[in-house]
């Protein structure tokens, strides 16, 4: 029987959960605002990583400055894509399916453009991250950064949504668009803002993930299902819900691998854990955790 | 060897003949080319001659007794070798993954085929006909491989193909190529299951993994390993290695990890390995995901656990990332690969030619792709006509006489490379550079020989 | 000597089988409004069932019937959790279902060949002993007959009173249930029937190509079927055929064209970029597809 270092397993789950949160927070806001699952959100994960690589290792301005620039650029790109593609579609009265399909098609286009531009070799960040021990737990500066980034992101988002006028207006728009417009909120700007934020978070998560693994066009697709699992489990549109759900999923996967190998099953089944969470949530608690944990329930059809 | 300004190769005749294995190919192709050229040359105004071979056969001896003497009547047979019936341009198809996850590896493998094409043409082609390599991308997916094969056969009229690269693809296209009588020579499909369809139209220049896993097992045991973890990519290659090693090592395998290359993060799986307290990890991964896993293994502190690897791990591409390279060095990565010991003249010549042509080290299976293409060319030369069935019948004879950079390609009745010689290799560092050096060999007869 | 006509014929036969698949999707989505992202799963269930039976000596008609039964039952089973949820969740559940089956087939090699799949499936119309050309022509006639049978069945289904119920559900679920129609039962029947059709397509396709492997279940295949459905016209019977022909032409065409045009892009990347772009464009500018819906005119989407 292989022993289990519980603390390390928990830490691994927290690290994974942080990445899932960064990937999902933008998605969950978008999903609630736009009312359709944007399958191309995953691509901004990879685009963000590539852009950081470009600034950090090709132009050589350093990893963290590169990351900041990439976040701005990816956010703008996301807003731009909204204007060019999805706003056009919505103006023309596109149905739910059409939006999903368009987002899938867009995702494929972006991904294979990335393959075309950068697909002949593999890319790795040169920025070094050093490992260190905290008692029995092994960490690296990068893994710590991931957890810190997630905490910073959730803090920022919650403060923004609850304490600033901009944020409150956004929440109003998301929960009741008709009323919001009646009270004079100009929805266009806000929608752009949400896409911008989504893009920025994705770039942050993508860059950190790529630093831990590698920079590849499929970077986002790798976390596509977990991204949706987290959004739905957390309750679409709820940042705190997504935060909770992300760590639940991360820990489930981490302990899941242990269970799988103890049971003698292939560890490739780890992927099914996110699936199971997703399906279970849809059937048992379709409004997500946020309908239980937070008094502030955002309305959903 | 002279190099012209653009970095191309001009091989002087003496240099070519003097290097042993290139000589094997050169002599083979050269003889037939010479003969063919001699006979074919209408444009050069050459003569057509017939060779007669005399064979003596006794046919129902007629016995005549003349003064006590016995006389037997013999029969004389003649054979005629006529002018080359090959088309002016002889095509050799190549099916490889040229895009997607395995794209970078496949592109480098294709270079092996292109090198063969270039060299054969520089020696006068096949009986004066130019060799053209026609490549198709299969993305390592079975249905795309089938589409690629059909395109090569129906649209390009190709009669012999090097590839596909993975065992699933070979099994998928098998029925079609047998039906259409187009031989295929795979350069890297190592699953044991391929032997079941091989021998008539399906061949390979690599031995089955059923044998490699024996070599790996011997190596691992010889190093005193008592607890082993396997870390493999979840496809025909990785799972084949895992199952083969389990069959050979039994209880020594304490933990088996399979990962999906589409899921990029392995920290959780590697933590399991850390908990398992093993002496060594056996790796069977593709380069990209392998590098990621090694970086994370290094971060997790697995550097005091030894590493072993199947042939997929023997690739300088792993050194692209400093942390992965250092991990390989620290864990004393050792492994097997189905090639002749890397110190042969043939493999050195190949590495040299490759470097001059493409300005980089040959990648994984570059040598076997080169060999598959060469064997195809030799089989065409032996057949004398560009006909699939005839070429198929000449592949084993051609391979019998061919010693390439990956070894002597003798094939058994299943079309498998039977002289399973595995090179035992290790990662070392000399100065600032990481290298892979050969430290021994393993073959079916003599077993493991180190040092 | 080239036989480009044989390559084209092979392409047409493949398109024929995918046309049947697209038709089954049209019945689900075009006529009933169900978003099924797991079409490949039922295709593969049918293909695998049929492959296991025929390679073990069972007669072809039995294999086809069992394929339809297994796939149809799978469809009914999936409809139990999936039908009651909203459309986008249905899409996600079906997607997850297909992925689950794929991972299981890959890892449990005792089940059906594992990663290597099953090869050597005997053709149901076997004229190979005469010549390859004749064999292809025989298979082409076969798929044509099959498509005609399924198209007729589909037409009868969608123009029957049951078909009117389906269209009613598609347009307005609430109204339809108010009028006393049992929505859930109708949807379950549609799922079962369409899945059985996909299973049959899988069975016949597997006998044509001679192999099955877990790669039949990748998301790309499902997306391809969706593209065919959308392009051709989701609420039509022949739309699937039009879409299948178009998509197959693009996919095989790029393979041939690359030899003649010096494409600046890698042919495979180009094909995906084109397909993605085409998808976005069609959904934006011509959402009903190339062919129009017959008889009952749909509300402009």
């Amino acid at each position: 029987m292989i022993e289990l270092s519980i603390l390390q397993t928990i830490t691994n789950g927290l690290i994974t959960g942080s990445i899932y949160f960064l990937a999902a927070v933008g998605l969950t806001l978008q999903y609630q605002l736009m009312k359709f699952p944007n399958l191309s959100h995953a691509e901004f994960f990879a685009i963000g990583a590539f852009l950081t690589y470009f600034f950090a290792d090709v132009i050589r301005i350093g990893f963290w400055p590169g990351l900041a620039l990439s976040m701005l650029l990816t956010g703008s790109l996301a807003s731009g894509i909204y204007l060019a593609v999805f706003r056009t579609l919505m103006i023309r009265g596109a149905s739910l399916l059409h939006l999903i399909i368009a987002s899938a098609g867009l995702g494929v286009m972006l991904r294979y453009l990335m393959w075309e531009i950068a697909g002949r070799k593999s890319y790795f960040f040169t920025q070094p991250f050093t490992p260190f021990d905290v008692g029995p737990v092994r960490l690296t500066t990068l893994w710590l950064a991931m957890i810190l980034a997630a905490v910073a992101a959730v803090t920022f988002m919650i403060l923004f949504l609850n304490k600033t006028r901009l944020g409150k207006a956004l929440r109003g728009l998301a929960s009741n668009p008709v009323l919001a417009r009646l009270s004079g909120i100009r929805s266009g700007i806000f929608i752009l803002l949400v896409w911008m934020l989504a893009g920025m978070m994705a770039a942050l998560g993508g860059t950190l993930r790529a630093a831990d693994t590698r920079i590849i066009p499929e970077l986002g697709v790798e976390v596509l299902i977990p991204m949706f699992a987290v959004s739905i489990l957390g309750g679409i549109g709820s940042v705190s819900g997504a935060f909770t759900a992300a760590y639940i999923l991360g820990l489930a996967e981490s302990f899941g691998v242990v269970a799988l190998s103890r049971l003698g099953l292939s560890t490739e089944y780890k992927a099914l854990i996110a699936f199971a969470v997703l399906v279970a949530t849809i059937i048992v608690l379709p409004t997500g955790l946020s309908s239980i944990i937070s008094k502030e329930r955002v309305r959903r059809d | 060897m002279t190099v012209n300004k653009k970095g191309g190769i001009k091989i002087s005749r003496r240099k070519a003949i003097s290097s042993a294995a290139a000589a094997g190919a050169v002599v083979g192709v050269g003889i037939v080319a010479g003969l063919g050229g001699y006979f074919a040359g209408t444009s050069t105004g050459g003569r057509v001659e017939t060779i007669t071979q005399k064979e003596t056969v006794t046919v129902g001896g007629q016995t005549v007794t003349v003064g006590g003497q016995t006389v037997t009547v013999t029969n004389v047979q003649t054979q005629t070798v006529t002018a080359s019936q090959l088309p002016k341009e002889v095509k050799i198809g190549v099916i490889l993954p040229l895009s997607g996850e395995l794209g970078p590896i496949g592109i480098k493998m294709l270079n092996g085929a292109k090198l063969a094409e270039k060299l054969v043409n520089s020696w006068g082609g096949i009986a004066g006909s130019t060799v053209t390599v026609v490549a198709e991308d299969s993305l390592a997916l079975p249905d795309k491989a089938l589409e690629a094969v059909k395109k090569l056969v129906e649209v390009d009229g190709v009669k012999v193909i090097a590839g596909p690269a993975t065992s699933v693809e070979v099994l998928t296209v098998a029925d079609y190529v047998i039906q259409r009588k187009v031989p295929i020579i795979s350069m890297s499909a190592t699953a044991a299951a391929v032997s079941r369809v091989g021998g008539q139209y399906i061949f390979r220049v690599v031995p089955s993994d059923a044998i490699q896993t024996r070599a790996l097992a011997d190596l691992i045991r010889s190093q005193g390993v008592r607890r082993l973890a396997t870390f493999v990519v979840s496809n025909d290659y990785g799972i084949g290695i895992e199952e083969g090693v389990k069959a050979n090592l039994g209880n020594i395998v304490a933990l088996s990890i399979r990962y999906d290359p589409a899921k990029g993060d392995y920290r959780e799986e590697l933590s399991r390995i850390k908990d398992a307290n093993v002496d060594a990890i056996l790796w069977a991964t593709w380069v990209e995901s392998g590098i990621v896993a090694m970086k994370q293994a290094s971060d997790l502190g697995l550097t005091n656990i030894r590493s072993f690897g199947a042939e997929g791990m023997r690739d300088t591409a792993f050194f692209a990332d400093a942390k992965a390279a250092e991990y390989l060095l620290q864990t004393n990565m050792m492994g097997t690969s189905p090639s002749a010991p890397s110190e042969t003249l043939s493999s050195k010549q190949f590495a040299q030619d490759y470097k001059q042509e493409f300005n980089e080290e040959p990648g994984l299976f570059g040598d076997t792709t080169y060999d598959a293409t060469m064997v195809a060319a030799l089989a065409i030369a032996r057949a004398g006509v560009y006909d699939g069935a005839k070429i198929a019948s000449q592949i084993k004879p051609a391979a019998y006489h061919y010693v390439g950079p990956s070894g002597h390609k003798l094939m058994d009745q299943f079309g498998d490379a039977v002289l399973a010689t595995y090179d035992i290799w290790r990662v070392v560092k000399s100065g600032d550079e990481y290298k892979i050096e050969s430290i021994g060999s393993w073959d079916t007869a003599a077993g493991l020989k180190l040092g | 000597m080239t036989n480009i006509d044989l390559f084209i014929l092979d392409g047409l036969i493949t398109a024929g089988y995918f046309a049947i698949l697209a038709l089954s999707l049209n019945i689900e989505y075009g006529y009933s409004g169900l978003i099924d992202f797991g079409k490949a799963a039922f295709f593969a269930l049918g293909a695998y069932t049929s492959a296991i039976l025929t390679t073990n000596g069972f007669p072809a008609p039995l294999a086809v019937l069992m394929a339809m039964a297994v796939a149809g039952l799978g469809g009914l089973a999936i409809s139990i959790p999936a039908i009651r949820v909203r459309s986008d969740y249905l899409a996600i559940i079906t997607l997850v279902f297909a992925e689950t089956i794929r991972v299981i087939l890959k890892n449990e090699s005792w089940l059906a060949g594992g990663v290597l799949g099953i090869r050597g499936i005997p053709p149901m119309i076997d004229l190979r002993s005469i010549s390859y050309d004749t064999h292809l022509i025989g298979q082409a006639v076969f798929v044509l007959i099959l498509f005609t049978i399924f198209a007729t069945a589909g037409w009868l289904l969608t123009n029957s009173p049951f078909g009117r119920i389906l269209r009613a559900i598609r347009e307005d679920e609430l109204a339809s249930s108010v009028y006393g129609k049992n929505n859930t039962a109708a949807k379950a029947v549609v799922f079962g029937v369409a899945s059985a059709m996909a299973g049959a397509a899988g069975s016949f396709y597997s006998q044509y190509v001679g192999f099955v492997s877990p790669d039949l279940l990748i998301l790309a295949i499902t997306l391809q079927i969706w593209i065919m459905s959308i392009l051709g016209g989701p609420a039509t019977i022949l739309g699937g055929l039009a879409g299948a022909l178009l998509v197959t032409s693009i996919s095989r065409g790029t393979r041939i064209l690359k030899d003649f045009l010096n494409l600046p892009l890698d042919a495979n990347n180009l094909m995906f970029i084109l397909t993605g772009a085409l998808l976005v464009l069609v959904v934006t500018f011509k959402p009903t597809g190339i062919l129009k819906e017959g008889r009952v005119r749909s509300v402009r989407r």
Side-chain angles (χ1 to χ4, degrees), chain B residues 321-449:
Chain B
D321 178 86
K323 206 180 246 181
E326 191 57 28
Y327 176 77
L328 287 172
L329 188 68
Q330 283 174 311
T331 56
N332 204 9
M333 166 67 106
M334 266 186 209
T336 55
S337 77
S339 56
S342 54
E343 301 299 296
T344 63
L345 285 167
S346 168
S347 59
K348 278 192 177 155
Q349 182 68 48
F350 168 74
Q352 206 173 0
D353 292 344
Y354 188 101
K355 206 158 184 183
Q356 280 198 292
E357 180 72 12
F358 301 106
N359 240 334
E360 55 179 11
E361 298 288 326
L364 187 61
F365 293 125
D367 52 357
T368 52
T369 312
Y370 172 92
D371 286 340
T373 316
M374 278 297 189
V375 168
L378 287 171
I380 297 175
R382 292 184 64 92
V385 289
Y386 193 58
D387 168 80
K390 295 226 170 63
I391 297 176
S393 68
Q394 293 303 311
I395 290 193
K396 279 206 281 244
Y400 184 96
H401 291 284
Y402 178 73
V403 180
S406 70
H408 183 180
K409 298 288 109 182
L410 179 65
M411 290 175 182
D412 64 10
Q413 73 268 36
F414 302 114
D416 288 344
V418 80
L419 287 184
T421 319
Y422 288 92
D423 181 36
I424 309 291
W425 51 271
R426 193 177 68 164
V427 169
V428 294
K429 193 171 186 184
S430 80
D432 265 338
E433 213 189 316
Y434 292 94
K435 287 197 184 145
I436 298 177
E437 74 174 11
S438 176
I439 57 169
S441 68
W442 185 100
D443 65 59
T444 37
L448 183 66
K449 279 195 281 209

Side-chain angles (χ1 to χ4, degrees), chain B residues 99 136-137 139 142 147-148 150-151 154-155 157 171-172 175-176 179-180 197 234-236 239 258, chain C residues 1-4 6-7 10 106-107 109 115-116 119-120 128 132 211 213 215 252 255 258-259 268:
Chain B
S99 61
E136 282 296 325
D137 184 3
L139 290 96
E147 195 186 294
K150 285 181 177 173
K151 189 255 182 186
E154 314 295 353
V155 177
L171 289 172
T172 301
D175 286 333
Y176 173 76
Q179 164 81 16
R180 296 302 269 148
V197 297
S234 179
N235 60 21
D236 48 343
I239 295 182
R258 289 183 192 174
Chain C
M1 185 201 55
T2 74
N3 294 311
I4 193 166
L6 291 180
F7 187 67
D10 171 73
K106 259 179 93 180
N107 281 281
S109 48
V115 220
L116 293 177
R119 59 157 290 278
R128 289 178 299 180
Y132 183 66
F211 76 94
S213 81
D215 290 304
R252 294 190 171 218
R255 196 180 273 282
K258 74 171 188 315
D259 291 338
N268 183 56

Side-chain angles (χ1 to χ4, degrees), chain B residues 2 7 11 46 54 87 115-116 127 135 154 205 211 232 272 280 326 334 417 445:
Chain B
T2 58
I11 305 171
K54 288 192 195 306
L115 182 64
E154 314 295 353
V205 290
I211 307 182
V232 305
R272 282 308 288 154
E326 191 57 28
M334 266 186 209

